[in-house]
Amino acid sequence: MEPIIRIKDLSKYYGSKQVLHNINLDIQPGQVIGYIGPNGAGKSTTVRILAGMDADFKGEVEIFGLNVKEHALEIKRRMGYIPELAELYEVLTPREFLLLVGRLHDLDDELILQRAGQMLKVFELSDNLDERMDTFSKGMRQKVLLVSGLLHNPELIFMDEPLSGLDANAVILVKEIISSLAEQGKTVIYCSHNMDTVEKISDRIILIAHGQVVADGAFEELKQNEGDSLEHLFSQLTGHSNFDEAAKGFTQSFTQQKPDHE
Amino acid sequence: MNKLFLYLVARFNPLWVRYGVDPKHLLTILEAKLTMDGRRKSAFSFSQHNKNKELSGQDWILIMMMTLMGLLFSIFAQLLVHPASGLVIYFSGWIMFIISTLIVDFTDVLIDVRDNYILLPKPIKDRTLALSRILHVVIYLLRIFIPFNLVMTIIVAYKLGVLAMLLFIVLAFMGLLIGVFLVNLLYLVLIRFSTPQRFKAIVTYFQMFLYTFSIVGYQLVPRLIDYTGLDQQNLLENRYCWAIPSTWLAAIWEWSIAGVHTSTISILALAGLLFPFVALYFITGSLTKSFSERLFALASGGSESQPRKNKRLTGTTPKYAWMNWTARWACSSAAERSAYELSWFISGRSRDFQLKFYPNLVLMPVYFFVFFFFQEAGDFSKGMSLFILYASAITLTSTTYFIFFSDRFKAAWVFISHPINVPGELTMGAFKAMMVKYLLPAYLLIMLLVCVLDDFGLLDDGILAFLLSLSIYLPLMMSYEQYLTFSRPWEDVSKGNNTIRGLLGMLGAALMGLLHYFVSPYPWVIYLAIILAVTACYFGLSAYRKLGWERIRNLG
């Protein structure tokens, strides 16, 4: 099967600082990919490159068999992107915002409103369709953001911390939605710091640290012992294991003497 | 109004298609942007628009102000004997007005980094995005275009007929395009040659300058211009004016209406004809592409720039030695000191605070210079010195009111969640910080200048003026609703009878100043009054410091 995403020697620099180091990946369609890594590892940078938002990189990236630099428009038509922060035009209402997003994907207004209505109903936001989003809670905005990323029925979906700000019920719902999307043959690239969720929903986990892929495979393949969790694996592979001592050092600060200069 | 603009844009759909733009996407983006504009908080006001109203009462006031400004420039242009010279002045004013409006009121829209997350991942052509940005700015400016140019259009139509009027409208529109180009160019240069953080800071300082200038400029500029012989000059013959785009526009007028076809006028007119369109091409082409790319760096937190090494912006650096020294001296409790330091940091780093506070701080010194340096020789009197001292003292003291407001007002939870017994200690700490950091130095400078230019015997008068103004302001401040430091949104500045409070303060200061003037020949009365004023201030500050939670209004 042809990979839906093919990344070859991907490198990215910010000024003289290299943040991605020769990343090579092939991603098959219909998979949920857990893309994880510590803060500043390069996850969001990779996603922005794949989503066609940053063309300033070295290497080759192909999505749907198309070069991302040359065919950005075609790729964007078939993919959805849900950013890390709830970036919305808050002074608009969900109806206005989703009409904007849907029309940019060339959907008819009728279809946009029908889909948006149905999706927002699932998220219990039907009654808020005509309220300005600057009055919404973080969770409500996140739900609108999720709907906006999925409205045009994309084949490939990039989700950067999609559960941010959601309550427990909404988290369960979104996890089910992701599984359901995968069942429909869609590919989901899922970035998160929530290891528990990544472990449960991902078919394949890619762990990135310091701009390099340090682990790649199904969780069952990656874990070394039967009782291992992804959290444990994550800390081992990213070089952080002495949490007990660190925690003790933290609490010991209460009992330390005052510094001389105070 | 938005529908009309969108309808007009849609009339050009065949042209947009030929240019490689998707008209459906273009209209969709414009519709959303214009809807947001209608609900956006304007930099000219503290309030936010109602949801369902396109034009609020405040908009009408703004429209009237713009018409008035256009009227002033029109009158000025009419005073010049040579009509094209009048147009040079008029179009210069118009282009400057566009530039300042875009920078002061539209920067946040121009550099809206949310576009990168919402629009960039969507299948939109670069040209569509670029043109939507340009048309958005142009539509925004068209709202200003009509009121500003209304009077001049009527004058031209009345004096020279319909054809001349149409030409004038076209020239004013070309002026608008030039203004848009110059702002885009300025931002591109700033983004290109500075880090994103620096860019934000430069724009903030630029905004502050323009905002201050708009407040005090009308006092200064007319006094600075030497009008001698200006009304007789032909500015089109002035070589220095040839470099100004408004001269090129006036040259088109001179060529077509006055029928002057000399080589100089023809070249200038040609430059005027070509420049806006060449500029437009550059804006939608290379400039916008580079702009978007650089904007992306801005959106991603400026990670392109390297972190500054060995530079710790903490309260322990030498930069804050003065703050630490004065805090130790001025604050009597840990809570007071915390608020003192917080106010010191925020007032120096918060863009929204600086934008609101600095123009008000600068206002008084500028008035001071206006009064002093433009007085005829021998006109200066002790009465005038006392007026300046009292006016400065009361207006400076009243700016401490700004410490209650912030865009990040919700962060004031930090005061609520901590075991603070007397919130007055916090407000007092902030009040002292503003006094030490800004108000005392500003007042001392003014007092020193008054003494140098008038008489050093005014030193005790200056001290008394400040103490009396403070003792008037403190009870006024305590008589109204109290807030925690940086705990209210800026919209609340205009609420709560603050205008009445300001007027009462001015009235009180004027009365004190008058009394001061009458007793000023008797130094012992001044010294006695200083002792009494110190006592009044002491009790006032003590009472303010004891402010309890029952007087504090909840967070915004």
Side-chain angles (χ1 to χ4, degrees):
Chain A
M1 193 188 281
E2 274 292 300
I4 193 166
I5 299 175
R6 175 168 278 165
I7 301 171
K8 206 174 163 190
D9 296 327
L10 174 64
S11 295
K12 167 78 185 172
Y13 293 82
Y14 283 125
S16 59
K17 189 183 170 194
Q18 189 170 4
V19 290
L20 294 178
H21 298 263
N22 303 312
I23 291 182
N24 288 287
L25 287 170
D26 277 356
I27 292 168
Q28 301 301 324
Q31 285 189 322
V32 177
I33 308 292
Y35 194 53
I36 57 174
N39 292 328
K43 299 188 299 292
S44 295
T45 303
T46 320
V47 169
R48 282 204 294 258
I49 289 170
L50 295 178
M53 295 160 66
D54 188 353
D56 182 23
F57 61 85
K58 285 182 180 168
E60 275 181 38
V61 178
E62 280 184 6
I63 299 178
F64 308 120
L66 301 166
N67 187 297
V68 82
K69 279 186 183 172
E70 291 161 14
H71 301 277
L73 276 190
E74 286 89 328
I75 293 166
K76 285 176 184 178
R77 281 196 189 99
R78 295 163 67 183
M79 63 131 214
Y81 172 67
I82 296 151
E84 186 179 3
L85 300 166
E87 294 288 0
L88 296 160
Y89 297 131
E90 290 95 348
V91 290
L92 297 181
T93 65
R95 182 196 297 274
E96 291 164 341
F97 182 70
L98 295 172
L99 274 171
L100 163 75
V101 170
R103 284 172 184 167
L104 293 177
H105 279 286
D106 297 314
L107 302 181
D108 290 337
D109 286 5
E110 207 180 326
L111 182 65
I112 297 168
L113 292 175
Q114 183 225 317
R115 276 189 194 167
Q118 209 171 328
M119 288 173 167
L120 289 173
K121 194 178 173 190
V122 173
F123 281 126
E124 297 174 344
L125 280 180
S126 300
D127 294 340
N128 309 92
L129 195 62
D130 293 310
E131 285 172 24
R132 265 165 60 165
M133 293 186 287
D134 50 8
T135 62
F136 281 15
S137 68
K138 195 180 171 195
M140 288 163 87
R141 289 180 200 188
Q142 190 64 27
K143 288 172 183 174
V144 177
L145 201 67
L146 279 160
V147 172
S148 76
L150 301 172
L151 195 65
H152 58 290
N153 192 18
E155 294 164 56
L156 171 64
I157 303 145
F158 296 101
M159 293 184 170
D160 205 347
E161 290 289 357
L163 306 181
S164 173
L166 296 181
D167 62 38
N169 288 333
V171 167
I172 296 168
L173 179 61
V174 173
K175 281 197 245 178
E176 290 300 325
I177 289 171
I178 293 171
S179 302
S180 178
L181 290 169
E183 277 168 25
Q184 287 184 10
K186 298 182 192 307
T187 312
V188 180
I189 311 291
Y190 182 92
C191 297
S192 178
H193 291 293
N194 187 331
M195 295 299 118
D196 193 37
T197 308
V198 175
E199 186 183 321
K200 279 180 187 150
I201 66 166
S202 305
D203 300 310
R204 176 181 165 192
I205 291 164
I206 299 167
L207 175 56
I208 180 172
H210 307 295
Q212 286 173 314
V213 175
V214 292
D216 182 0
F219 175 61
E220 292 303 320
E221 295 163 19
L222 292 176
K223 68 179 181 183
Q224 286 146 1
N225 303 308
E226 196 51 43
D228 274 357
S229 65
L230 183 60
E231 204 171 60
H232 183 237
L233 193 70
F234 181 90
S235 41
Q236 269 187 333
L237 290 169
T238 53
H240 296 277
S241 52
N242 260 342
F243 292 114
D244 282 354
E245 271 185 37
K248 273 179 195 158
F250 186 89
T251 49
Q252 270 170 6
S253 62
F254 300 131
T255 54
Q256 265 176 2
Q257 295 295 310
K258 258 183 151 183
D260 291 340
H261 65 268
E262 274 193 15
Chain B
M1 193 71 135
N2 286 350
K3 280 182 183 159
L4 175 70
F5 284 130
L6 291 171
Y7 173 81
L8 290 173
V9 172
R11 295 305 91 202
F12 293 93
N13 277 354
L15 180 71
W16 306 142
V17 173
R18 204 180 307 164
Y19 187 61
V21 168
D22 184 330
K24 201 180 158 200
H25 286 179
L26 178 72
L27 289 171
T28 301
I29 298 169
L30 275 178
E31 189 183 352
K33 292 278 182 184
L34 294 176
T35 308
M36 287 193 286
D37 279 352
R39 298 172 191 170
R40 189 168 62 88
K41 188 167 69 175
S42 167
F44 290 119
S45 64
F46 288 107
S47 63
Q48 198 156 359
H49 281 188
N50 290 331
K51 180 186 170 184
N52 300 319
K53 264 188 171 178
E54 273 195 21
L55 284 174
S56 66
Q58 215 157 32
D59 286 325
W60 286 112
I61 293 171
L62 276 175
I63 288 171
M64 280 170 63
M65 275 172 62
M66 285 168 206
T67 314
L68 195 69
M69 208 167 280
L71 173 75
L72 287 173
F73 275 102
S74 306
I75 293 170
F76 196 71
Q78 296 306 309
L79 291 175
L80 276 76
V81 172
H82 195 264
S85 297
L87 280 179
V88 173
I89 302 282
Y90 183 85
F91 286 132
S92 299
W94 169 228
I95 293 170
M96 276 310 294
F97 186 71
I98 287 168
I99 291 172
S100 54
T101 304
L102 280 179
I103 292 173
V104 172
D105 196 40
F106 216 57
T107 295
D108 290 339
V109 178
L110 277 172
I111 56 168
D112 190 349
V113 291
R114 288 173 307 179
D115 286 356
N116 292 309
Y117 292 98
I118 298 167
L119 298 180
L120 275 191
K122 304 289 177 290
I124 311 165
K125 293 175 184 169
D126 285 347
R127 287 205 166 181
T128 308
L129 201 58
L131 191 69
S132 73
R133 193 170 270 155
I134 299 300
L135 286 176
H136 180 207
V137 175
V138 170
I139 291 172
Y140 166 79
L141 289 173
L142 280 175
R143 294 169 198 268
I144 298 164
F145 182 91
I146 298 163
F148 190 99
N149 294 297
L150 184 69
V151 177
M152 192 65 170
T153 309
I154 293 169
I155 292 171
V156 171
Y158 177 74
K159 286 172 85 172
L160 299 161
V162 179
L163 272 179
M165 181 193 80
L166 288 174
L167 178 67
F168 171 76
I169 292 170
V170 171
L171 291 178
F173 186 73
M174 286 160 78
L176 182 148
L177 292 180
I178 291 170
V180 173
F181 168 73
L182 292 176
V183 171
N184 266 273
L185 192 67
L186 172 76
Y187 280 0
L188 188 78
V189 170
L190 284 180
I191 281 187
R192 197 164 190 81
F193 296 107
S194 65
T195 63
Q197 291 91 339
R198 200 115 201 86
F199 170 76
K200 286 175 186 168
I202 292 169
V203 169
T204 303
Y205 288 124
F206 211 75
Q207 284 180 324
M208 278 189 281
F209 168 75
L210 285 173
Y211 195 59
T212 310
F213 187 78
S214 68
I215 293 174
V216 296
Y218 74 99
Q219 283 280 353
L220 274 177
V221 173
R223 289 171 162 88
L224 291 171
I225 295 173
D226 180 13
Y227 295 100
T228 322
L230 184 67
D231 58 337
Q232 299 296 328
Q233 273 190 35
N234 182 357
L235 295 176
L236 293 181
E237 289 173 357
N238 186 325
R239 285 180 182 204
Y240 296 110
C241 291
W242 292 350
I244 306 169
S246 49
T247 309
W248 310 341
L249 297 178
I252 298 175
W253 179 272
E254 190 77 340
W255 198 90
S256 45
I257 301 290
V260 181
H261 297 153
T262 61
S263 55
T264 309
I265 296 295
S266 300
I267 291 167
L268 289 173
L270 190 67
L273 272 175
L274 293 177
F275 184 70
F277 300 102
V278 173
L280 190 68
Y281 176 78
F282 272 106
I283 294 170
T284 51
S286 56
L287 276 190
T288 310
K289 200 165 187 305
S290 321
F291 193 76
S292 295
E293 281 166 7
R294 301 293 297 180
L295 205 60
F296 195 83
L298 200 71
S300 43
S303 40
E304 275 190 35
S305 63
Q306 295 297 307
R308 284 180 292 185
K309 284 174 186 166
N310 304 325
K311 187 149 190 185
R312 292 167 57 216
L313 276 176
T314 66
T316 55
T317 53
K319 186 183 175 185
Y320 292 106
W322 171 239
M323 178 196 77
N324 286 321
W325 189 81
T326 52
R328 267 200 299 275
W329 180 80
C331 301
S332 54
S333 72
E336 203 177 311
R337 183 163 175 171
S338 304
Y340 185 96
E341 291 183 358
L342 177 81
S343 307
W344 196 287
F345 292 141
I346 289 186
S347 62
R349 298 176 192 174
S350 160
R351 185 178 162 221
D352 67 291
F353 185 86
Q354 290 173 335
L355 271 175
K356 303 283 191 311
F357 176 72
Y358 283 168
N360 284 281
L361 185 74
V362 173
L363 192 65
M364 213 52 241
V366 172
Y367 269 117
F368 166 79
F369 279 105
V370 169
F371 274 112
F372 254 122
F373 291 107
F374 300 106
Q375 294 287 327
E376 291 296 325
D379 253 11
F380 209 79
S381 63
K382 183 160 192 177
M384 183 59 77
S385 294
L386 285 178
F387 170 78
I388 290 165
L389 289 171
Y390 273 91
S392 307
I394 196 72
T395 46
L396 285 174
T397 315
S398 59
T399 56
T400 52
Y401 189 62
F402 284 87
I403 55 172
F404 300 123
F405 305 96
S406 170
D407 274 351
R408 299 265 176 254
F409 60 93
K410 284 182 181 167
W413 64 267
V414 73
F415 302 125
I416 308 283
S417 66
H418 285 80
I420 292 156
N421 205 14
V422 186
E425 289 183 5
L426 297 173
T427 44
M428 178 51 78
F431 181 81
K432 284 178 180 173
M434 299 307 285
M435 277 285 169
V436 173
K437 189 176 181 186
Y438 298 107
L439 310 181
L440 280 174
Y443 185 75
L444 282 173
L445 184 71
I446 291 167
M447 200 169 77
L448 196 70
L449 280 167
V450 169
C451 289
V452 168
L453 293 165
D454 191 9
D455 181 7
F456 268 94
L458 284 165
L459 213 57
D460 49 357
D461 296 284
I463 293 166
L464 180 60
F466 187 79
L467 290 169
L468 283 176
S469 300
L470 185 59
S471 56
I472 292 165
Y473 181 69
L474 280 170
L476 274 174
M477 188 159 76
M478 289 172 67
S479 64
Y480 288 97
E481 206 163 42
Q482 298 297 311
Y483 312 123
L484 284 171
T485 318
F486 305 115
S487 69
R488 305 297 304 173
W490 284 106
E491 283 92 331
D492 285 5
V493 166
S494 48
K495 288 180 189 167
N497 296 330
N498 292 321
T499 315
I500 298 170
R501 181 171 18 196
L503 284 172
L504 280 173
M506 289 300 277
L507 190 69
L511 277 172
M512 288 293 176
L514 202 65
L515 275 173
H516 188 153
Y517 179 73
F518 286 121
V519 300
S520 59
Y522 313 104
W524 64 271
V525 183
I526 300 292
Y527 298 137
L528 186 67
I530 287 175
I531 295 166
L532 290 173
V534 167
T535 315
C537 285
Y538 174 78
F539 283 112
L541 290 169
S542 301
Y544 191 46
R545 196 175 181 278
K546 286 174 188 158
L547 213 68
W549 281 111
E550 71 284 353
R551 291 288 313 278
I552 302 284
R553 202 184 147 187
N554 284 336
L555 300 184

